[in-house]
Amino acid sequence: MEDLNDLYFFTEVAQRGGFSAAARALNIPKSRLSRRIADLEQRLGARLMQRSTRKLHLTPIGEDFLLRCRAMVVEAQAAQELIERGVAEPRGRLRVSCPIALAQGALARALPDFQRQFPKVQIELEATNRRIDLIAEGFDVAIRARPPSLQDTGLVSKALGISRLHLLAAPALIEQYGEPHTLDDLPRFPSLGTVALDGHHRWRLISPSGEAVSVDHHPRLIADELTVLIESAIAGLGLVQLPELLSREATARGELRRVLTDWDAPYDLIHAAYAPKRQTIPAVQEFLRFLGEALSPQLPQLDTEG
């Protein structure tokens, strides 16, 4: 059986994209780390990484090996944390994934309080809008914003709030193209959009009668960074559908305003997802409790009355 430390070292080098970054994170000399990986490859009889002066690339077998190593490292950490659960104070590394807009806003404001309360917990936050594989990539908690119908099989979900999606335009754009009154008015407007995995861009809207409708559009600008979209919308480049959490300041300043206000806004459910076996780890327990106490009050809640 291979030394788990070498598997851990390999995982850190692969995930951090190079020996220098991994050596800094692990606080060990780069030369030692490189030697350990070279010894690992020699024992396995396979090249796991292709090294160059600029970038490190995993070989195909290295990609497959990384998936197994991640799982083994997570299990090894879980075994260690099982012993540490009797310790009163949460500690250890906590890997968290969060959408960029939420990380830059509500979570950024709340996180310092958590770290002051639990100084022995090291948080590794990845702010990303991509869909991560929580278990395969070794994350403890993934904060997500998704339509309520999208659920992750095998994961536990803790609801934190909602984020409504509004169709917005700059006043100058409305002055140029006129006020839209029906869905038929929308095609005359240029549009902006987020990256669509299937290549089809749609706005989600709810009619005055409660019917869910999807409206196809062809954006002139596509970006996975919502800050780019909101600044482009403020500049009058096109209609855009954005989360209320991100756009509320621009609408309050009059830089953007809602269109088709008689149509209701759909919403994404903001929730924290985690594997069931992780919820008994003290650091995860406390982080989930903290999210409920500190993050939920900053987020709109779904009105379930009536």
Side-chain angles (χ1 to χ4, degrees):
M1 179 179 293
E2 286 298 331
D3 187 335
L4 277 177
N5 285 327
D6 287 345
L7 302 186
Y8 177 59
F9 291 159
F10 167 72
T11 302
E12 286 292 304
V13 172
Q15 291 184 155
R16 296 181 185 278
F19 287 93
S20 297
R24 288 192 296 270
L26 296 169
N27 196 28
I28 61 175
K30 177 182 173 182
S31 57
R32 177 187 167 196
L33 189 58
S34 179
R35 185 168 60 253
R36 294 290 291 265
I37 300 301
D39 290 344
L40 174 64
E41 290 178 319
Q42 185 175 11
R43 291 195 305 273
L44 293 173
R47 174 71 68 182
L48 302 175
M49 299 175 172
Q50 296 289 353
R51 302 160 178 82
S52 68
T53 55
R54 291 189 175 184
K55 198 170 182 181
L56 177 146
H57 299 277
L58 294 181
T59 63
I61 196 171
E63 294 277 4
D64 291 339
F65 191 62
L66 176 61
L67 291 177
R68 275 78 179 169
C69 286
R70 277 175 174 160
M72 293 180 69
V73 168
V74 168
E75 289 299 326
Q77 290 172 336
Q80 180 178 345
E81 289 160 352
L82 180 67
I83 304 301
E84 295 175 347
R85 283 173 192 164
V87 179
E89 187 175 9
R91 64 185 64 202
R93 184 172 69 162
L94 186 66
R95 295 195 70 213
V96 180
S97 169
C98 182
I100 295 172
L102 196 59
Q104 293 176 342
L107 187 61
R109 292 188 291 269
L111 207 52
D113 285 339
F114 178 83
Q115 303 222 261
R116 280 191 287 266
Q117 290 182 41
F118 304 104
K120 294 185 179 179
V121 175
Q122 178 195 48
I123 291 183
E124 185 176 307
L125 174 66
E126 180 173 328
T128 178
N129 293 329
R130 70 181 179 88
R131 183 185 178 92
I132 68 150
D133 187 326
L134 188 145
I135 295 176
E137 296 184 50
F139 283 94
D140 297 293
V141 178
I143 303 172
R144 292 170 169 168
R146 294 185 183 168
S149 58
L150 294 181
Q151 299 296 329
D152 289 284
T153 304
L155 297 179
V156 182
S157 179
K158 177 184 177 69
L160 300 172
I162 63 171
S163 175
R164 291 203 177 274
L165 301 171
H166 293 311
L167 196 59
L168 304 162
L173 189 74
I174 296 174
E175 183 178 349
Q176 181 180 358
Y177 290 92
E179 183 75 39
H181 297 289
T182 69
L183 296 186
D184 292 336
D185 295 328
L186 296 181
R188 71 171 183 259
F189 284 82
S191 68
L192 314 172
T194 56
V195 175
L197 295 179
D198 62 0
H200 297 289
H201 294 86
R202 303 177 181 91
W203 289 318
R204 294 189 287 130
L205 299 167
I206 301 174
S207 71
S209 62
E211 179 186 4
V213 177
S214 292
V215 179
D216 291 336
H217 65 105
H218 304 283
R220 63 189 298 190
L221 172 65
I222 301 169
D224 62 358
E225 171 53 70
L226 296 184
T227 303
V228 173
L229 293 180
I230 195 168
E231 292 298 329
S232 298
I234 290 172
L237 295 186
L239 281 176
V240 68
Q241 192 171 49
L242 290 172
E244 181 185 12
L245 289 172
L246 182 66
S247 60
R248 61 172 54 154
E249 292 184 6
T251 54
R253 293 192 300 263
E255 296 171 331
L256 293 174
R257 69 180 190 76
R258 286 186 61 189
V259 299
L260 295 181
T261 54
D262 54 336
W263 287 68
D264 201 1
Y267 68 89
D268 286 335
L269 180 66
I270 300 175
H271 61 281
Y274 55 96
K277 64 182 178 181
R278 307 296 287 173
Q279 63 185 333
T280 57
I281 296 170
V284 175
Q285 281 183 332
E286 292 296 341
F287 188 68
L288 292 170
R289 177 193 60 77
F290 180 81
L291 289 177
E293 293 179 357
L295 202 60
S296 291
Q298 299 188 53
L299 302 174
Q301 302 297 310
L302 185 63
D303 184 3
T304 57
E305 295 183 3

